[in-house]
């Protein structure tokens, strides 16, 4: 059998392309759909402050670690661990990442499909004249429809596969370089609109003024979980993207820039949403329903609201697409390099398997609502298993591997591009990946499993 030709591996073509692709992976439903409601439920400004600290203290070091592993090995997550730790079981961390990729893609693309339904509903005027109770019913009956969620899932999945089929440079890099600026533009326009609504100030105060009495152990754990999901860390997405980053790229700078873009979009999403929520007298802690029930209600009350509804759901869809391609690429890189398939065959195989998993996840409130595993429907099972178990466990093992089982010299060599860059932060970075990050992540992990409660 002739193996995969690693000399012919695709790569990113420019610094900007690296940032667009990696920030595209990070910025997603996690920033615009999840971050605002998690912040709303956890005390606003206090949560933001804790989140900020965690991004710097743990998020950035873990992101750097994934990039180091990927670029050092120039392999998919499984191949990377096989190469860096031969004949050791570390490749299982990579394999766990591939399994997590299948599960994340299934439920995440299902939600991405909902955004397409909501773009469609905006266009046909489906929210007009509906009360908030009507909008809640509308959301529930859409989710329990026997066909629609699956249909939108398939459409979104095919769009994802189409981009990944184009390859790293001509598919992923090229498309994210167009979609990321678009995303920025839309979110900025939405922020301006939200901030100019009468009574918007209260929303800003809620977002930016920390009430320290609101910080509990649980706030910290929620912030850590959110940071992992939002930065796309813990499952090899950034090992995979790191493996395509040119050798002269400054990985620490890239990790900082990507994390800052991700943080900024999350804050901007908050600025776009909370002033509007307060201006219309709605409780900020409306939970998961915020984007699909509360916001449509707000949009139809504001002048020109349908235009902003359209912009908002397009924003969600674009943000989701630059993330789904990064998750699919993990699976495709694994199939091409480990099973030696062509990219085309790998994409087809991954897409067909995703149809089975994703259609099941998207019909979790409809046809598949009777299927319960550990008391959860398929969507919730995939969502909880990845966010609470696989991502923290993956992140923990990644930093433990680099911190304790990989030569420090090789890490500093990779971060300094063979000694050509000054890396004054290396001492702190090493302490973080050896001690601080593993302990902090272990705490979230135990909490997620319900083995320890704060
Ligand atoms: N970070 C993305 C978001 O916030 C989602 C995502 C993409 C992700 N790739 C990932 C999450 C890998 C965890 C792991 O929407």
């Amino acid at each position: 059998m002739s193996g995969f030709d690693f000399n012919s591996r695709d790569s990113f073509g420019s610094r900007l392309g690296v940032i667009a692709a990696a920030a595209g992976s990070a910025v997603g439903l996690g920033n615009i759909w999840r971050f605002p409601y998690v912040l709303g439920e956890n005390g606003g400004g206090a949560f933001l402050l804790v989140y900020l600290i965690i991004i710097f203290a743990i998020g950035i070091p873990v992101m750097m670690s994934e990039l180091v592993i990927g670029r050092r090995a120039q392999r998919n997550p499984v191949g990377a661990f096989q190469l860096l730790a031969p004949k050791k079981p570390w490749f299982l961390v990579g394999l766990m990442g591939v399994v997590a990729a299948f599960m994340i893609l299934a439920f995440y693309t299902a939600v991405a499909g909902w955004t397409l339904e909501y773009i469609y509903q905006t266009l046909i005027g489906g929210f007009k004249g509906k009360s908030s109770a009507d909008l809640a019913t509308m959301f529930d009956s859409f989710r329990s429809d026997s066909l629609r969620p699956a249909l939108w899932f398939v459409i979104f999945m095919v769009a994802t596969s189409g981009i990944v089929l184009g390859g790293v440079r001509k598919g992923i890099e090229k498309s994210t370089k167009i979609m990321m600026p678009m995303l920025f533009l839309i979110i900025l326009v939405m922020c301006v609109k939200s901030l100019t609504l009468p009574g918007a100030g209260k929303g800003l105060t809620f977002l930016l003024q920390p009430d320290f009495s609101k910080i509990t152990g649980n706030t910290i754990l929620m912030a850590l979980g959110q940071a992992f999901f939002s930065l796309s860390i813990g499952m090899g997405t950034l090992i995979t993207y790191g493996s395509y980053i040119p050798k002269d790229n400054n990985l620490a700078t890239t990790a900082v820039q990507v994390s800052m873009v991700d943080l900024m979009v999350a804050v901007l999403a908050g600025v776009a949403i909370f002033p509007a929520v307060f201006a219309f007298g709605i409780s900020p802690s409306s939970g998961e329903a915020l984007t699909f029930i509360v916001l449509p209600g707000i949009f139809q009350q504001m002048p020109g609201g349908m235009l902003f509804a359209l912009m908002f759901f397009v924003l969600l869809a674009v943000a989701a697409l630059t993330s789904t391609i990064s998750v699919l690429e993990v699976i495709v890189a694994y199939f091409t390099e480990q099973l030696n398939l062509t990219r085309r065959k790998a994409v087809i195989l991954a897409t067909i398997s995703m149809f089975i998993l994703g259609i099941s996840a998207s019909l979790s409130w409809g046809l598949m609502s009777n299927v319960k595993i550990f008391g959860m429907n398929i969507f919730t099972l995939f969502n909880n298993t990845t966010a609470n178990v696989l991502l923290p466990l993956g992140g923990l093992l990644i930093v433990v591997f680099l911190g304790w089982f990989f030569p420090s010299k090789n890490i500093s060599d990779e971060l300094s591009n063979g000694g050509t860059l000054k890396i004054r932060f290396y001492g702190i970075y090493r302490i973080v990946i050896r001690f601080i990050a593993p302990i902090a992540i272990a705490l979230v992990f135990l909490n997620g499993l319900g083995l320890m409660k704060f």
Side-chain angles (χ1 to χ4, degrees):
M1 190 183 92
S2 67
F4 178 83
D5 176 13
F6 286 97
N7 293 321
S8 70
R9 253 177 140 260
D10 208 348
S11 69
F12 292 124
S14 67
R15 258 194 62 72
L16 197 69
V18 171
I19 300 289
S25 172
V27 172
L29 298 170
N31 304 59
I32 303 163
W33 167 62
R34 200 173 187 275
F35 177 81
Y37 81 73
V38 172
L39 178 129
E41 287 174 338
N42 288 280
F47 180 86
L48 183 59
L49 187 73
V50 175
Y51 186 71
L52 214 75
I53 295 169
I54 285 175
I55 293 277
F56 278 95
I58 297 167
I60 293 174
V62 176
M63 187 182 285
M64 278 163 63
S65 304
E66 285 204 30
L67 296 178
V68 164
I69 292 174
R71 194 177 65 175
R72 189 85 189 162
Q74 312 267 293
R75 295 281 191 281
N76 69 89
V78 175
F81 280 105
Q82 281 174 342
L83 192 80
L84 300 181
K87 302 201 181 70
K88 297 267 164 52
W90 287 104
F91 72 94
L92 291 170
V93 179
L95 208 57
M96 193 173 85
V98 175
V99 171
F102 273 104
M103 292 174 144
I104 291 184
L105 206 51
F107 81 83
Y108 194 92
T109 311
V111 181
W114 303 351
T115 69
L116 297 182
E117 164 78 11
Y118 274 65
I119 291 174
Y120 170 74
Q121 288 297 338
T122 310
L123 290 174
I124 63 164
F127 309 133
K128 286 226 176 70
K130 288 211 162 73
S131 67
S132 45
D134 294 339
L135 288 165
T137 312
M138 182 181 153
F139 183 57
D140 287 338
S141 55
F142 160 65
R143 277 207 306 193
S144 50
D145 195 281
S146 51
L147 204 68
R148 291 180 86 89
L151 191 70
W152 290 122
F153 164 83
V154 168
I155 293 174
F156 207 95
M157 191 62 223
V158 168
T160 306
S161 306
I163 295 175
V164 172
L165 188 63
V168 175
R169 194 174 301 199
K170 296 209 181 88
I172 297 173
E173 179 172 349
K174 206 170 156 197
S175 66
T176 49
K177 269 164 110 172
I178 299 168
M179 287 192 280
M180 291 309 283
M182 209 172 121
L183 185 148
F184 252 102
L185 200 69
I186 299 180
I187 205 163
L188 285 176
V189 173
M190 301 220 41
C191 285
V192 171
K193 171 72 184 174
S194 181
L195 287 171
T196 50
L197 289 169
K202 269 188 253 152
L204 267 194
T205 310
F206 173 77
L207 183 67
L208 299 176
Q209 201 175 71
D211 172 358
F212 292 100
S213 69
K214 292 251 173 70
I215 301 179
T216 62
N218 197 54
T219 319
I220 299 170
L221 297 175
M222 290 302 290
L224 193 52
Q226 173 62 25
F228 261 70
F229 190 83
S230 191
L231 294 175
S232 300
I233 50 188
M235 56 147 282
T237 298
L238 292 164
I239 293 180
T240 309
Y241 273 13
S243 75
Y244 303 132
I245 296 180
K247 285 288 183 191
D248 61 358
N249 188 286
N250 185 335
L251 293 182
T253 308
T254 297
V256 171
Q257 288 171 344
V258 170
S259 304
M260 288 307 99
V261 171
D262 188 67
L263 179 66
M264 187 153 68
V265 174
V267 172
L268 289 177
V271 171
I273 290 172
F274 287 110
V277 165
F278 277 83
F280 286 90
I282 293 161
S283 155
S285 56
S286 339
E288 274 180 87
L290 192 61
T291 34
F292 292 102
I293 299 173
V294 174
L295 291 185
I298 291 177
F299 287 133
Q300 63 156 333
Q301 290 177 53
M302 65 166 73
M306 285 308 119
L307 180 65
F308 288 98
L310 188 63
M311 282 170 68
F312 180 74
F313 290 113
V314 168
L315 170 71
L316 271 179
V318 169
L321 187 57
T322 57
S323 298
T324 51
I325 57 180
S326 75
V327 186
L328 180 60
E329 181 60 27
V330 174
I331 300 172
V332 168
Y334 171 73
F335 281 171
T336 51
E337 295 173 14
Q338 302 299 121
L339 309 182
N340 195 26
L341 297 178
T342 60
R343 177 166 279 267
R344 193 180 177 77
K345 283 196 179 128
V347 170
I348 292 172
L349 182 64
T351 307
I352 290 172
S353 7
M354 279 317 301
F355 279 171
I356 299 167
L357 287 178
I359 289 174
S360 308
S362 62
L363 296 178
S364 287
W365 288 268
L367 280 184
M368 304 292 277
S369 60
N370 291 327
V371 182
K372 291 269 159 65
I373 301 160
F374 305 120
M376 293 176 269
N377 65 30
I378 298 168
F379 180 100
T380 313
L381 178 78
F382 287 171
N383 188 353
N384 288 358
T385 315
T386 49
N388 297 340
V389 184
L390 298 181
L391 295 186
L393 189 59
L396 178 67
L397 292 170
I398 284 165
V399 283
V400 166
F401 171 69
L402 271 197
W404 297 91
F405 297 90
F406 193 66
S408 176
K409 205 197 140 295
N410 293 359
I411 304 172
S412 60
D413 185 63
E414 200 58 41
L415 284 172
S416 67
N417 295 349
T420 53
L421 301 170
K422 277 215 178 69
I423 46 168
R424 262 162 290 165
F425 57 82
Y426 189 70
I428 303 172
Y429 166 76
R430 193 147 175 83
I431 293 172
V432 172
I433 62 164
R434 278 167 78 90
F435 303 103
I436 299 175
I439 293 169
I441 299 164
L443 290 179
V444 187
F445 182 52
L446 294 175
N447 181 68
L449 286 181
L451 295 179
M452 214 171 75
K453 278 277 174 245
F454 283 83

